[in-house]
Amino acid sequence: MSKSDIVASVKAIVSGAEDMSGNTVVNVLAKHNEYVIYEIETKDINNRIKVFIDGHTDQSEEKIQKRFNAVKQKYIEAKGMLSKSSNFEMMKHRVAHTLSTALNSDESGGADTFESLIKTITKEHEQLVVNRALYLLPSVISVAIFFVLCAYNLSDRVANGPWWQLFVVFLGSSLGGALSILINAKTLNFEEFQTKGYYFLLGVERIVLAYMAGGVAYVALKSGFLSSEILDRGYWSLMMVIVLSGFSESLVPGFLSKSEGVLHNNALQRTSR
């Protein structure tokens, strides 16, 4: 067998096949004549990447195995960091490429390369946490402020005044908007922009939209467009409606469409008279 030939056992590791342990191969990340780095089908993200080494001779296999043992600990550490990365697809290829380079090179330094990769993954994870916190910060501040204002003005004399209703509307909108932001935050990409302040502005924009949705719902209630009986049931009923409107700003276009239809029908009735 020449050096240019791929060992049969290595060649057999292809997508859709089974490896020596019976795992289903879903992706081949790197393949050489005497080793292959591949991905298996498993729910454990830290165990998805596998390495199989089979040399042309005992001497060549021992040489590659020795290179692997030199970086094994850092390789395992890098694999363990993959679950923290928001871009698993890219990072798994980087781990495979780094390991492949170490297995092909007679020079030391593979461990240093893995150390650099680990630092990169850690830094990206920290950046992700900071950006997510900045996005959530405006809604948290808003809820805290209006909760304090409502609690401070909670008295029989003030409770029936217009300021109390205004505080209730803002608090309900904040609660609904904050809940929506928290639920949807896990679906957003917090690595798309490098500027941290951009995510804070996105959070401000989202909570302002919740204020506007709550304001439209309050106007709809006061005008009788929605059932005015809700206001007669106390501030808890009012707050519930505002929370729902702040949570789902899609309710606002529904209000406006319904209002447009009512005004159009009224205009037709006046015209027919």
Side-chain angles (χ1 to χ4, degrees), residues 31-48:
K31 181 179 285 190
H32 197 261
N33 295 339
E34 299 174 292
Y35 70 83
V36 59
I37 306 170
Y38 58 98
E39 184 182 359
I40 64 172
E41 184 178 350
T42 178
K43 294 181 180 179
D44 185 3
I45 194 173
N46 297 322
N47 198 38
R48 291 181 67 90

Side-chain angles (χ1 to χ4, degrees), residues 71-90:
V71 299
K72 185 176 181 179
Q73 292 301 322
K74 290 298 181 181
Y75 161 68
I76 294 175
E77 186 177 351
K79 283 205 309 178
M81 298 285 292
L82 286 177
S83 59
K84 296 182 179 181
S85 175
S86 61
N87 195 339
F88 171 75
E89 292 299 321
M90 181 186 72

Side-chain angles (χ1 to χ4, degrees), residues 18 47 68 141 195 203 209 234 248:
E18 289 189 355
N47 198 38
F68 175 70
I141 293 175
T195 305
L209 182 59
S248 178

Side-chain angles (χ1 to χ4, degrees), residues 65-262:
Q65 188 65 48
K66 185 176 180 179
R67 295 172 184 169
F68 175 70
N69 291 337
V71 299
K72 185 176 181 179
Q73 292 301 322
K74 290 298 181 181
Y75 161 68
I76 294 175
E77 186 177 351
K79 283 205 309 178
M81 298 285 292
L82 286 177
S83 59
K84 296 182 179 181
S85 175
S86 61
N87 195 339
F88 171 75
E89 292 299 321
M90 181 186 72
M91 280 302 172
K92 72 180 181 183
H93 284 284
R94 291 184 64 177
V95 170
H97 174 74
T98 303
L99 179 59
S100 178
T101 301
L103 296 181
N104 286 334
S105 178
D106 289 327
E107 300 178 0
S108 59
D112 294 336
T113 306
F114 270 112
E115 184 67 30
S116 176
L117 179 60
I118 291 170
K119 289 181 180 179
T120 299
I121 297 176
T122 302
K123 183 178 180 180
E124 290 180 353
H125 179 66
E126 292 174 351
Q127 183 68 32
L128 180 70
V129 173
V130 171
N131 290 343
R132 187 191 298 269
L134 288 172
Y135 178 68
L136 299 176
L137 186 60
S139 60
V140 174
I141 293 175
S142 177
V143 171
I145 289 175
F146 288 108
F147 180 82
V148 170
L149 288 174
C150 286
Y152 180 76
N153 291 281
L154 185 59
S155 67
D156 293 336
R157 181 176 62 83
V158 181
N160 294 320
W163 282 109
W164 173 255
Q165 291 188 14
L166 185 62
F167 291 152
V168 167
V169 169
F170 276 108
L171 177 58
S173 300
S174 300
L175 287 172
L179 183 59
S180 177
I181 290 172
L182 287 171
I183 292 175
N184 295 324
K186 59 184 178 183
T187 64
L188 300 178
N189 180 12
F190 289 99
E191 292 181 325
E192 185 176 0
F193 303 99
Q194 295 296 324
T195 305
K196 294 184 178 66
Y198 183 80
Y199 294 98
F200 181 80
L201 291 178
L202 284 178
V204 172
E205 180 184 25
R206 180 60 185 83
I207 201 65
V208 169
L209 182 59
Y211 290 157
M212 296 176 68
V216 171
Y218 181 68
V219 171
L221 288 169
K222 294 293 286 186
S223 66
F225 181 68
L226 294 180
S227 177
S228 59
E229 295 180 358
I230 296 177
L231 294 175
D232 298 332
R233 298 174 184 173
Y235 287 102
W236 289 113
S237 299
L238 169 62
M239 182 175 287
M240 189 65 218
V241 174
I242 303 302
V243 168
L244 291 176
S245 63
F247 176 77
S248 178
E249 67 277 9
S250 60
L251 291 176
V252 174
F255 290 157
L256 298 179
S257 297
K258 183 178 177 182
S259 177
E260 182 180 359
V262 171

Side-chain angles (χ1 to χ4, degrees), residues 260-272:
E260 182 180 359
V262 171
L263 294 175
H264 179 69
N265 292 334
N266 291 338
L268 289 178
Q269 290 177 3
R270 287 195 298 268
T271 302
S272 64

